[in-house]
Amino acid sequence: MEPDSAVYRTLLESTKAIPWKIDWATATFAYIGPQIEQLLGWRQTSWGTVNDWAERMHPDDRDRVVNFCVSQSQSGVDHEADYRALTANGEYVWIRDVVHVVRDEAGNVESLIGFMFDITERKKTEEALLTLQKELEELSFRDGLTGVANRRKFSMVFDDEWNEARRNVQPLSLIMFDVDHFKRYNDHYGHIEGDDCLKRVAQALSSVATRSRDFFARYGGEEFVLLLPTTDEAAAKAVAERCRQAVFKAQIPHADSPVGQLLTVSMGVGTVIPSAGDDPMRFVSGVDARLFQAKRGGRDRIELGAA
């Protein structure tokens, strides 16, 4: 019968997991399983020191993994680490190292014993799930009809920009839009044409949001919003006028509108430099009240100032 050590080696070398042992004092490999050649292509005899292990690691992973493993090993703590290992043909394979720290009778670290596992397929699955999660999250923040951001996303961005404006003592402007006599439009042209109308309005208005932090969204129904960070009242009024012109240039017929033969929008505009005592929702309500004034005042107009 074979000695126990030979039996154990046979068992270890017949698994897909790659066993290894590192002598702590010399930082050299006392052993690494022959499976390493099939997985990474490097010869079994080429694994001399821990430098061979570190150098065959993706540069973006190296410092993080090496520092973590060294610190955990010095503390005598068993640990795991995931990283991308370089193959002999220049590609990368995802590895999980599971490490056990062996101590001598005095409590000093004597060696490290572990297993390398190929987790490439698992990582691919995780990445695919992460991508799907991001896509679903993006969909949850997008208006299904117009394709622009929805009210939920607006609320998140608005909170962030409000806090940023308060920290930096900068103006924050908001424009709220309402499509004039949209019910009449639906009644006259039908709901399919009404949906197409909202898409065209969204396209026209969003084209005015040209800066990276300008944020346009559908607020609900036939209402839209445009958030303008670092924008004072005069600049916000100018942007609102460009929005009005953009809708006019879209030339959307509205034969049943009392305002004219083309579809128009009414706008409420507000600007604030937030302070600690200001209520963001009160600001939004004030802009919405100005929008109502614009509608009550004849529509196809911009309303600024006190609500």
Side-chain angles (χ1 to χ4, degrees):
M1 180 179 291
E2 293 180 294
D4 287 348
S5 60
V7 174
Y8 293 149
R9 173 170 291 196
T10 299
L11 289 172
L12 288 173
E13 293 181 356
S14 65
T15 67
K16 290 185 178 181
I18 303 168
W20 55 264
K21 180 179 180 180
I22 290 176
D23 179 73
W24 182 256
T26 61
T28 58
F29 277 91
Y31 175 77
I32 191 166
Q35 306 99 310
I36 196 70
E37 294 189 17
Q38 181 177 357
L39 178 60
L40 298 182
W42 304 105
R43 289 181 301 163
Q44 186 181 14
T45 55
S46 71
W47 297 82
T49 71
V50 293
N51 285 334
D52 297 317
W53 167 71
E55 290 174 0
R56 293 166 180 173
M57 195 180 299
H58 195 289
D60 292 345
D61 300 336
R62 187 176 299 135
D63 288 345
R64 170 183 59 82
V65 172
V66 171
N67 292 338
F68 171 74
C69 290
V70 169
S71 66
Q72 295 296 100
S73 299
Q74 288 175 335
S75 301
V77 179
D78 294 349
H79 54 279
E80 299 180 3
D82 294 354
Y83 57 88
R84 288 161 289 181
L86 179 67
T87 66
N89 62 6
E91 298 178 350
Y92 284 97
V93 173
W94 273 103
I95 294 291
R96 172 164 293 170
D97 251 327
V98 179
V99 185
H100 171 62
V101 182
V102 180
R103 291 175 174 270
D104 59 22
E105 293 182 356
N108 299 314
V109 178
E110 184 177 80
S111 62
L112 305 177
I113 296 176
F115 288 91
M116 292 182 183
F117 296 89
D118 179 4
I119 60 169
T120 302
E121 291 304 315
R122 183 188 306 177
K123 282 291 183 179
K124 288 180 180 178
T125 301
E126 290 174 357
E127 290 172 0
L129 289 174
L130 184 60
T131 299
L132 178 60
Q133 182 180 348
K134 288 181 178 178
E135 290 175 353
L136 291 174
E137 184 176 332
E138 289 177 1
L139 287 173
S140 74
F141 290 136
R142 189 183 308 160
D143 177 55
L145 175 64
T146 63
V148 302
N150 59 18
R151 185 167 179 170
R152 180 184 177 201
K153 181 66 174 179
F154 166 75
S155 296
M156 295 177 61
V157 173
F158 176 72
D159 287 344
D160 290 341
E161 291 294 355
W162 179 275
N163 293 330
E164 185 75 9
R166 186 175 63 184
R167 279 194 300 267
N168 297 318
V169 194
Q170 293 177 328
L172 177 66
S173 291
L174 176 66
I175 305 174
M176 301 189 75
F177 308 86
D178 185 90
V179 178
D180 293 329
H181 299 292
F182 186 67
K183 183 178 184 305
R184 289 194 177 198
Y185 188 97
N186 267 336
D187 291 343
H188 184 80
Y189 294 101
H191 289 284
I192 294 177
E193 287 296 323
D195 287 349
D196 185 62
C197 169
L198 291 177
K199 293 176 186 177
R200 294 177 66 185
V201 170
Q203 184 178 14
L205 294 176
S206 62
S207 69
V208 181
T210 55
R211 300 180 307 172
S212 60
R213 285 171 59 190
D214 292 348
F215 183 80
F216 179 75
R218 186 182 181 189
Y219 198 66
E222 63 268 27
E223 289 191 355
F224 298 89
V225 289
L226 177 57
L227 189 63
L228 302 168
T230 64
T231 304
D232 60 22
E233 185 177 86
K237 182 181 179 182
V239 172
E241 180 57 34
R242 291 206 301 273
C243 289
R244 194 179 71 83
Q245 290 297 325
V247 173
F248 174 77
K249 290 178 182 177
Q251 295 287 291
I252 304 171
H254 191 345
D256 198 37
S257 172
V259 180
Q261 292 299 299
L262 294 176
L263 182 132
T264 60
V265 295
S266 297
M267 286 169 269
V269 182
T271 301
V272 65
I273 299 177
S275 63
D278 289 332
D279 182 354
M281 289 301 99
R282 184 176 179 182
F283 169 68
V284 174
S285 296
V287 179
D288 189 49
R290 290 167 198 163
L291 172 60
F292 179 75
Q293 283 188 344
K295 292 164 62 177
R296 188 174 56 186
R299 304 180 191 255
D300 188 24
R301 55 178 292 172
I302 302 166
E303 187 70 37
L304 298 95

